[in-house]
Amino acid sequence: MNIVIIGAGFTGVQLARRLINEKNEVTLIDNDEETVRHASNSLDCSVIQADGNNLETLEDAGISKADAMVCVTSSDEVNMITCSLVDAVYPDVLKIARVRNFAYYMNTEKVHKQHAQAFAGKHRPLYGIDYMIHPDIEAAQAIVQAVESGAVSDVVTFENSEYELTRVNIEKNSKLTGLTLKDIRLHAKIPFLVAYVESNGSTKLPSGQTVLYEGDSIGVLTKKDDVSEILELTGTEVETLDKIALVGAGKIGTLIAERLLSNSKKKFIFSRLFGKNKRINSNLAIVDSNKALAKEAAEKFPQAKVYCGDITDENFLYEESLTTYDLVICATQNHELNMVGAAYLESLGVGKTVSLVENAPFAEIARKIGVDVPVPLRDAVVDSILSHLRGKTVTGIHTVSSGSLEIVELTLPIDSKINGKSLSEIADPGKFLVMLIKKAGTDVYTIPTGTTSLDVNDQLILIVDADKSNKLLASFGVK
């Protein structure tokens, strides 16, 4: 693909790097001299210093031949105006904009819902934006998914599937230590699949002969109701989450609280982990050091306990008994505070911690200092953008293992060269792994075998080396 990116900040550079690694043609535009110099030195692509909302600049950059344009400048207005400008002249170019203003995002969503019939036809997208990405929403969703899965570790869930991929450690008392993957099945009767293994600083897609050792981390795909059995096998302790504290009453914290309390009303259940019903109710506490935000949270969430306080103040933590909580979610705008605060709280006795962090490298640091589940904000945004750049048949992108592996959800197109073949015929051990398949016309995902056939409109969920993802999808016929 030929992709133009407007904005060479951290997200723009990270997105460009992943697209370049996948052999896409990328042009990056930014008007800041120092930012352009940094991007030019670190990326193997065309980097232009100019205003990205200038049509002449865009045409010089090749927008007329581009497949997509992604706007990720620091200005929502520039991102939106640029998409509108390009849509007026080049409507066939796919346009994606990151928008941080929640009002812009919600107003757009409201219009789409109210006029869904019009937008389903030939009506041009609002502001010329095909896909609007809001970072806070992506972050909140990732955190809520982690909590719903018991805050055990990094979790990837799949829409309309009873399976999830959970990253767990092989602990000292694990029954799996020293076993090969093919021998593990002797110890578990549930359907599962080990999708990747992290060992001694490297990550690989395993084979049946791969041996697991204490200290390894593995990505296990299994049904949500069976996670507890996998945790028991790996020696991971499972604790109830009766009391949950949310640190941060800003936009992300508010979104998290809304979803957790909404799920509570819908009988938010952890039975698959704990063997009995567990709900989030009055045991949810919200903490923020900003008096105005704390007051707003108290008015918005009367069913929760709301405190105005500093989580770095040990006297405050003990006074309000926050060190006795089963789970603390740190989701303030200060990502360093989230990371350090979560590790500090866990050292004081908190059961588990979830922390919003800047990106994947910080997520690795967070794990090393004791945070159970770090959620990298910018990686969630880039994943969301990439899922819209992989073609209409790709419905989801997730990165795992610090971005080295990519999980792709796709539908096999009618002209795919692998239609009619079995998995054993297309297998390439160590390169990719088809984890789940939903046959066309059915409603259930299953873990496939070597004899499973692949046909038009089958839905696949596969894991692949991130740098080889684009090439693999092309071989599958995904455009």
Side-chain angles (χ1 to χ4, degrees), residues 138-324:
E138 300 297 332
Q141 181 61 32
I143 290 173
V144 171
Q145 285 179 353
V147 175
E148 288 178 336
S149 299
V152 178
S153 186
D154 302 12
V155 175
V156 179
T157 60
F158 310 105
E159 190 173 358
N160 301 320
S161 171
E162 59 183 336
Y163 284 87
E164 66 185 25
L165 183 67
T166 305
R167 180 184 183 273
V168 292
N169 297 325
I170 304 297
E171 305 293 348
K172 185 175 182 179
N173 60 338
S174 172
K175 299 176 183 179
L176 307 183
T177 302
L179 296 181
T180 62
L181 292 189
K182 68 176 183 178
D183 291 335
I184 290 177
R185 301 197 178 278
L186 300 175
H187 296 265
K189 298 179 182 179
I190 58 174
F192 74 95
L193 180 151
V194 177
Y196 64 88
V197 176
E198 298 175 353
S199 183
N200 298 320
S202 64
T203 302
K204 64 180 178 181
L205 301 179
S207 68
Q209 302 302 319
T210 300
V211 179
L212 300 181
Y213 299 99
E214 178 188 340
D216 288 353
S217 296
I218 59 176
V220 184
L221 179 79
T222 191
K223 292 183 178 180
K224 297 172 183 177
D225 290 340
D226 294 332
V227 171
S228 57
E229 187 167 340
I230 294 296
L231 296 176
E232 182 180 348
L233 288 172
T234 60
T236 302
E237 293 184 8
V238 180
E239 301 172 354
T240 58
L241 303 180
D242 286 326
K243 298 167 66 178
I244 298 178
L246 170 63
V247 180
K251 180 50 63 181
I252 294 178
T254 298
L255 289 169
I256 294 169
E258 286 176 346
R259 298 189 185 195
L260 292 182
L261 292 170
S262 172
N263 285 341
S264 174
K265 294 176 183 177
K266 298 174 183 176
K267 295 185 178 180
F268 182 33
I269 295 173
F270 291 98
S271 59
R272 65 177 179 272
L273 290 175
F274 310 130
K276 57 182 179 179
N277 293 353
K278 290 291 176 186
R279 297 192 205 179
I280 295 178
N281 41 49
S282 58
N283 287 331
L284 176 66
I286 301 174
V287 182
D288 201 294
S289 59
N290 183 293
K291 290 183 179 180
L293 291 177
K295 182 179 179 181
E296 289 178 15
E299 294 172 350
K300 188 175 183 64
F301 306 111
Q303 66 272 58
K305 300 175 183 177
V306 180
Y307 302 101
C308 180
D310 183 355
I311 62 166
T312 64
D313 183 346
E314 192 170 330
N315 291 330
F316 164 72
L317 295 175
Y318 281 115
E319 183 178 337
E320 303 301 344
S321 301
L322 293 176
T323 58
T324 66

Side-chain angles (χ1 to χ4, degrees), residues 125-138:
L126 204 60
Y127 307 115
I129 303 172
D130 293 292
Y131 299 104
M132 186 179 286
I133 309 296
H134 194 288
D136 293 353
I137 290 176
E138 300 297 332

